[in-house]
Amino acid sequence: VSATRSDLRAPPPLDWDGQRLRILDQTLLPAEERIVELTGAADTAEAIRRLAVRGAPNIGIAAAYGLAMEVAREPGLGSLERGASRLVEARPTAANLGRAVQRVRWAAVKAYAEGGAVRMAAAARAEAEGIHAEEDQASRRMGELGAELLAGCGRVVTHCNTGALAAGGRGTALGVIAELADRRPVKVLTTETRPLLQGARLTVWELRRLGIEHELVADGAAPGLIARGQADAVIVGCDRVAANGDVANKVGTYSLALAAREAGIPFVVAGPTSSLDPAAATGAEIPIEERDPDEVREAGGELLTLPETPSRNPAFDVTPAALITALVTERGVARPVDRRTLAALLAP
Ligand code: MRU
């Protein structure tokens, strides 16, 4: 990769030294850049659950290493199965998590059948490293394809955080924006992303390092700004894409898609094929994570509302395929986003 503005001095979100995984604790950003070392399935699952490591592709990569570390520590089928269930249960919505854990699990089981417990650890580690390399590569390709698609767009809206903190390489949607910004002037309107402020805390932190012009807006402001003609396109990431093209992504995505449709501007989703789930027929079959209602009632530990106020905290919503102009994957761009185009994209 060329030394573009993407590479400015940020500690890597995920750093694997062959034995231990170090992550940048995203719950503390942007105030503090603290590195946390993970050693097995339990602490990796906990880091995923509390969003110290997050974003669909990166939770897959972290979980893969978590399982590899677990079987390195305690080789055997028992620890493999316990570790795998623990990791898969950490978060339900991103397809990448279950897929990555399953891949490492199968590689380990196969190695066990062929050579016993000793072989397991090396096989699990190799599989996890393979997943990491694939996600890096996928991000690079999505960046190129997405930048071509959005070549005419200088003002883009994005939501949540989809950069290197969330995925391999320079990220998914933010990777596309970074590549676009290498090619032409770009201004990004980024949403805060309530309740956990991935936009305000993380995307702004990344855009600053990337040297890309940006403005932060409240989630509720973005649709109105789109309606007033202040954006040429919306681009977001995805956590799970159903067989018919419905997309689960960070809560608040759906209202941006509606606004884009109404304003007649493209609504583009970027995500690796590891986020595609052909087993979910439509978005209605995608499990939506409901997080602690305190995350809505509080911010930075401070109560925002009346104590005990009943609250809901769905972390994701589903945008119907009909509202999506294009889905950018490393295997190509699905346009229109429908069952046939996605099936062709996934064909071997
Ligand atoms: O709850 P998070 O912060 O893990 O949610 C992340 C998102 O919704 C991203 O848009 C999605 O994972 C795609 S990231 C490359």
Side-chain angles (χ1 to χ4, degrees):
V1 203
S2 61
T4 56
R5 46 187 131 182
S6 60
D7 305 317
L8 298 179
R9 303 170 310 273
L14 290 172
D15 182 25
W16 172 248
D17 69 2
Q19 287 187 314
R20 292 283 173 269
L21 181 64
R22 288 180 188 83
I23 59 158
L24 181 58
D25 185 340
Q26 297 186 33
T27 63
L28 304 173
L29 289 174
E32 191 188 335
E33 295 176 8
R34 188 189 297 169
I35 305 295
V36 176
E37 185 171 298
L38 302 174
T39 59
D43 56 0
T44 304
E46 178 57 15
I48 291 171
R49 196 202 53 74
R50 68 181 185 89
L51 271 54
V53 56
R54 46 152 295 287
N58 270 359
I59 64 180
I61 297 167
Y65 284 132
L67 193 52
M69 291 186 289
E70 190 64 29
V71 290
R73 218 164 53 165
E74 193 189 329
L77 292 176
S79 72
L80 178 72
E81 295 307 328
R82 278 191 303 278
S85 350
R86 204 156 193 166
L87 286 158
V88 166
E89 283 159 15
R91 295 190 77 189
T93 302
N96 315 60
L97 177 60
R99 169 160 309 172
V101 168
Q102 207 58 298
R103 274 182 59 174
V104 173
R105 185 170 160 256
W106 276 117
V109 166
K110 190 162 167 275
Y112 182 85
E114 286 164 5
V118 230
R119 290 256 188 101
M120 281 181 101
R125 190 182 66 203
E127 190 70 15
E129 287 168 352
I131 291 170
H132 195 172
E134 284 170 30
E135 292 293 6
D136 278 348
Q137 184 60 34
S139 284
R140 259 191 292 282
R141 187 69 189 129
M142 282 186 282
E144 292 163 0
L145 293 171
E148 277 163 33
L149 187 71
L150 295 179
C153 301
R155 301 167 308 164
V156 295
V157 170
T158 193
H159 187 53
C160 196
N161 171 265
T162 60
L165 290 168
R170 293 205 276 184
T172 59
L174 205 58
V176 169
I177 291 172
E179 182 65 32
L180 189 63
D182 284 344
R183 301 178 183 195
R184 57 157 297 154
V186 171
K187 179 167 178 184
V188 181
L189 275 183
T190 180
T191 58
E192 288 179 307
T193 321
R194 278 276 298 151
L196 295 179
L197 302 174
Q198 287 92 332
R201 296 187 304 104
L202 309 176
T203 300
V204 163
W205 185 81
E206 291 198 300
L207 285 168
R208 172 78 63 91
R209 281 180 161 72
L210 289 161
I212 299 174
E213 191 184 351
H214 56 279
E215 279 176 338
L216 177 66
V217 296
D219 296 345
L225 291 171
I226 292 169
R228 281 161 57 195
Q230 297 189 8
D232 304 319
V234 177
I235 180 158
V236 297
C238 54
D239 284 80
R240 194 183 291 246
V241 182
N244 73 339
D246 293 349
V247 163
N249 189 49
K250 180 53 56 191
V251 68
T253 299
Y254 178 42
S255 51
L256 295 174
L258 289 169
R261 163 61 55 96
E262 192 66 17
I265 63 168
F267 180 85
V268 174
V269 177
T273 47
S274 55
S275 298
L276 270 53
D277 178 11
T282 72
E285 291 179 19
I286 298 177
I288 300 294
E289 179 180 10
E290 289 269 349
R291 294 184 63 87
D292 185 344
D294 278 343
E295 290 178 351
V296 175
R297 287 188 285 253
E298 295 171 3
E302 296 287 318
L303 190 63
L304 297 173
T305 181
L306 294 174
E308 316 294 325
T309 299
S311 153
R312 286 278 305 275
N313 188 12
F316 299 95
D317 61 24
V318 173
T319 298
L323 294 178
I324 303 169
T325 313
L327 171 69
V328 179
T329 76
E330 80 282 10
R331 286 184 149 208
V333 177
R335 181 179 194 170
V337 183
D338 60 14
R339 198 176 299 277
R340 245 182 82 210
T341 317
L342 288 183
L345 197 70
L346 284 179

